Amino acid sequence: MGHRPHRVVVLLLEPSIGYDAVIPVQLFGEAVDDRGRGLYDVTMASLDGGPVRTSSGYSITPQDDVSALAAADTVIIPGTQLPGPRSEGAIPPDVSAALASVRHGARLVSICTGAFVLAADGRLDGRPATTHWQHADALAALYPDVDLDPDVLFTDDGDVLTSAGLSAGVDLCLHLIRRDHGTEVANHVARYCVVPPWRDGGQAQYIERHVPPRSDESTAAARDWALRHLEADVPTLARRAGMSLRTFARRFREETGQSPGAWLIQQRVRHAQHLLEATDLAVDDVAERAGMGTAASLRAHLRTHVGVSPAAYRRTFRGAAV
């Protein structure tokens, strides 16, 4: 079977957020197989194929017009200040027609305020979504049928994915590469781009606060220790932080956007995924090393968070990993 890269089209809508627009091109462009062949074919498109003005004043000249959408496997809409979706709850007819040309089965992805465009076209009705925390209230008011989660860095609902603001687009693109080709390829891209392969927590940790926590009241040291001792429980982490359980839980949520228990489970599941992909360890050993204790616990958590059994996960990602 011949090598066929996954076709990604980045649809620029004026005025576009330039930073958002270049994230997919850079990250997907660095994903290669073991023979150095690109795993993605990435192109930019505008409605008419002409230059698109950005919110920063410069323009981006894309390679394609909207005809490229019909052949896309993934369509990405970066952040935009397009007035209809952003302030009127309406989508321009030409944008709606462009989205209608996307073939059935293709993924739709938004970065930052690109979610307003998908919401205006009804693509997010009844589905989980997020956007930049600063614009979350506006999206919720304009599109009440969207299941908005303003605290997460990105959402994945299968064929529709959304990210929070700006750099969260990096998190989402790495997630897509990981989903398509496994951790090894995604980590290679992250290392090349000098970014973390995965950021913990959600947007809550980046929201402006008038009084920042004192460094001696941070949970960071306890979190760092927990990554090396995944079997630890929340009371143990609170003691290491020198806080009462209640204070620790409150401070933890302020800093990460998650409860300590949810964060711990997330770390255990993530480490278990890595071990299933990168090693031949038995499921019982994976469970122990990931801090879950038993294979039954691993199976339950993996099915809850990933939707598959350890064996199915290993088959999928060991097979997909390059």
Side-chain angles (χ1 to χ4, degrees):
M1 184 175 179
H3 174 71
R4 179 189 175 277
H6 183 105
R7 177 78 165 168
V8 178
V9 177
V10 182
L11 178 60
L12 306 179
L13 298 173
E14 190 174 276
S16 181
I17 308 301
Y19 179 81
D20 296 351
V22 300
I23 290 171
V25 179
Q26 183 66 57
L27 270 74
F28 288 115
E30 296 302 329
V32 298
D33 66 14
D34 55 355
R35 296 170 61 180
R37 298 177 300 184
L39 294 169
Y40 297 91
D41 176 15
V42 190
T43 187
M44 286 184 170
S46 64
L47 293 175
D48 60 2
V52 175
R53 179 173 52 88
T54 70
S55 60
S56 299
Y58 61 88
S59 294
I60 297 175
T61 302
Q63 303 99 314
D64 287 300
D65 59 23
V66 290
S67 63
L69 298 180
D73 299 304
T74 294
V75 174
I76 300 178
I77 302 177
T80 177
Q81 295 178 351
L82 189 65
R86 286 292 305 273
S87 58
E88 301 163 15
I91 189 164
D94 53 353
V95 178
S96 183
L99 292 176
S101 71
V102 177
R103 67 176 181 81
H104 179 72
R107 290 189 299 214
L108 287 174
V109 178
S110 68
I111 296 175
C112 193
T113 52
F116 282 75
V117 176
L118 294 182
D121 201 46
R123 304 299 182 109
L124 299 182
D125 288 355
R127 308 188 76 156
T130 194
T131 190
H132 193 294
W133 61 266
Q134 197 169 47
H135 304 293
D137 289 344
L139 191 144
L142 285 169
Y143 309 105
D145 292 333
V146 176
D147 183 12
L148 181 67
D149 187 344
D151 294 328
V152 298
L153 293 176
F154 61 82
T155 64
D156 180 345
D157 197 35
D159 60 339
V160 176
L161 302 93
T162 64
S163 87
L166 300 167
S167 291
V170 174
D171 299 284
L172 179 53
C173 288
L174 287 173
H175 169 73
L176 283 167
I177 295 169
R178 187 181 300 109
R179 200 176 95 170
D180 292 343
H181 299 287
T183 298
E184 185 178 350
V185 175
N187 287 354
H188 168 78
V189 173
R191 284 193 298 271
Y192 178 82
C193 295
V194 199
V195 296
W198 188 287
R199 285 194 294 166
D200 294 321
Q203 294 195 74
Q205 60 192 308
Y206 302 106
I207 296 174
E208 294 175 354
R209 292 184 174 84
H210 296 298
V211 184
R214 296 191 341 231
S215 59
D216 60 350
E217 293 178 348
S218 173
T219 65
R223 279 182 275 131
D224 182 65
W225 182 85
L227 292 175
R228 301 188 301 276
H229 302 83
L230 289 172
E231 74 285 353
D233 57 15
V234 174
T236 299
L237 299 187
R239 287 194 296 272
R240 290 197 64 87
M243 302 178 192
S244 70
L245 192 57
R246 183 175 179 179
T247 299
F248 180 75
R250 182 179 69 252
R251 180 67 68 203
F252 198 102
R253 186 175 288 278
E254 288 174 352
E255 293 179 1
T256 71
Q258 294 177 290
S259 70
W263 181 87
L264 263 178
I265 291 172
Q266 182 186 72
Q267 304 313 311
R268 291 167 181 166
V269 169
R270 190 174 301 151
H271 189 53
Q273 289 175 279
H274 167 71
L275 292 174
L276 289 169
E277 291 181 37
T279 75
D280 294 317
L281 289 170
V283 172
D284 289 299
D285 294 329
V286 170
E288 183 177 353
R289 294 195 185 192
M292 296 186 189
T294 67
S297 177
L298 170 58
R299 290 188 185 96
H301 284 302
L302 201 65
R303 191 167 292 281
T304 297
H305 291 269
V306 186
V308 296
S309 68
Y313 183 88
R314 174 170 270 164
R315 280 196 304 271
T316 299
F317 284 93
R318 288 293 289 272
V322 177

